[in-house]
């Protein structure tokens, strides 16, 4: 099946710094990618929809200036957590659809810890 | 609005069948998915079903869809200890985004 690669898998950063997470579709082109956040023992919540070549669409309650999304190519979307705080510590997962198959595939996820 | 509900926990003995249930609200969903998440890992797509299907079988996995009741189930035959994980059902909205249930923790006892 289609493969989505996410990097890094784990990152620890200091409060006030920024962290960039990459999401790549390895064997298909993805005009749309999705970014989710998962708190411990909870379900995934959609943060934003990343559209290649245009602005991302953010879900209600998600700060677009804090969670910057760039989808510069058909195989790469990045999520940058700016001025990170401990409450941003979470598991972030991206997904992309392989349009031909119609199903969504997920990256391995990134465990962000802000200290 | 869109909402997906699952039971939170299921415990079975190794070799038994497991049935995980899910209800959803969006009648316009095109695809419904089952994902598996092992501790600290991302989500693994197990199977999916198109909304005009009633059943889909893939080796040990059987998905049943009752569109009238908006009920989806995942049956795992001959459950193994390696099946222990959290299972998420998800519906795909007409915008392409997925709405997830809370996840069902499956515990398989030897």
């Amino acid at each position: 099946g289609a493969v989505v690669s996410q990097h890094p898998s784990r990152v620890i950063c200091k409060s006030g710094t920024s962290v960039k997470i990459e999401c790549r579709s390895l064997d298909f082109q993805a005009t749309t990618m999705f970014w989710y956040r998962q708190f411990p023992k909870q379900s995934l919540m959609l943060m934003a929809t990343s559209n290649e070549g245009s602005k991302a669409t953010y879900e209600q309650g998600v700060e677009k200036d804090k969670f910057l999304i760039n989808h510069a190519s058909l195989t790469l979307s990045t999520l940058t957590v700016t001025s990170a705080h401990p409450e941003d510590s979470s598991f972030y997962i991206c997904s992309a659809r392989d349009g031909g198959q119609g199903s969504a595939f997920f990256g391995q996820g990134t465990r962000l810890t802000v200290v | 609005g869109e909402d997906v509900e699952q039971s939170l926990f299921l415990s079975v003995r190794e070799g038994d069948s497991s049935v995980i249930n899910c209800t959803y609200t969006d009648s316009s969903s095109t695809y419904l998915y089952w994902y598996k998440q092992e501790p600290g890992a991302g989500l693994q797509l197990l199977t999916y079903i198109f909304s005009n299907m009633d059943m889909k079988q893939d080796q040990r996995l059987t998905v049943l869809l009752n569109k009238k009741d908006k009920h989806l189930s995942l049956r795992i035959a001959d459950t193994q200890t390696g099946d222990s994980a959290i299972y998420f059902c998800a519906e795909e909205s007409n915008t392409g985004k997925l709405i997830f249930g809370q996840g069902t923790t499956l515990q398989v006892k030897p």
Side-chain angles (χ1 to χ4, degrees), chain B residues 49-65:
Chain B
I49 188 168
F50 192 52
S51 60
N52 68 353
M53 297 170 64
D54 298 324
M55 185 182 86
K56 181 178 181 181
Q57 187 154 3
D58 184 3
Q59 298 182 333
R60 293 192 296 124
L61 304 178
T62 303
V63 178
L64 294 178
L65 175 60

Side-chain angles (χ1 to χ4, degrees), chain A:
Chain A
V3 177
V4 175
S5 177
Q6 193 173 334
H7 177 80
S9 57
R10 291 181 181 274
V11 58
I12 301 173
C13 70
K14 292 185 178 180
S15 287
T17 61
S18 295
V19 174
K20 180 185 283 187
I21 303 169
E22 293 187 348
C23 180
R24 294 181 186 272
S25 56
L26 296 186
D27 52 3
F28 65 99
Q29 293 184 330
T31 55
T32 303
M33 292 186 176
F34 301 91
W35 287 96
Y36 295 83
R37 182 175 181 176
Q38 186 182 30
F39 290 101
K41 298 186 179 181
Q42 293 190 28
S43 187
L44 289 86
M45 299 301 294
L46 179 66
M47 297 174 65
T49 303
S50 171
N51 304 298
E52 188 268 334
S54 65
K55 291 183 179 179
T57 305
Y58 290 82
E59 295 299 300
Q60 193 173 6
V62 178
E63 297 176 62
K64 62 180 181 180
D65 294 329
K66 179 165 188 61
F67 299 99
L68 300 179
I69 291 172
N70 184 282
H71 194 155
S73 76
L74 287 170
T75 59
L76 174 64
S77 175
T78 61
L79 168 68
T80 301
V81 182
T82 63
S83 187
H85 290 284
E87 57 263 31
D88 298 324
S89 298
S90 190
F91 194 54
Y92 294 86
I93 307 178
C94 69
S95 80
R97 288 185 64 196
D98 181 356
Q101 289 187 319
S103 53
F105 295 90
F106 284 79
Q108 307 92 318
T110 298
R111 171 73 61 192
L112 171 63
T113 304
V114 184
V115 297

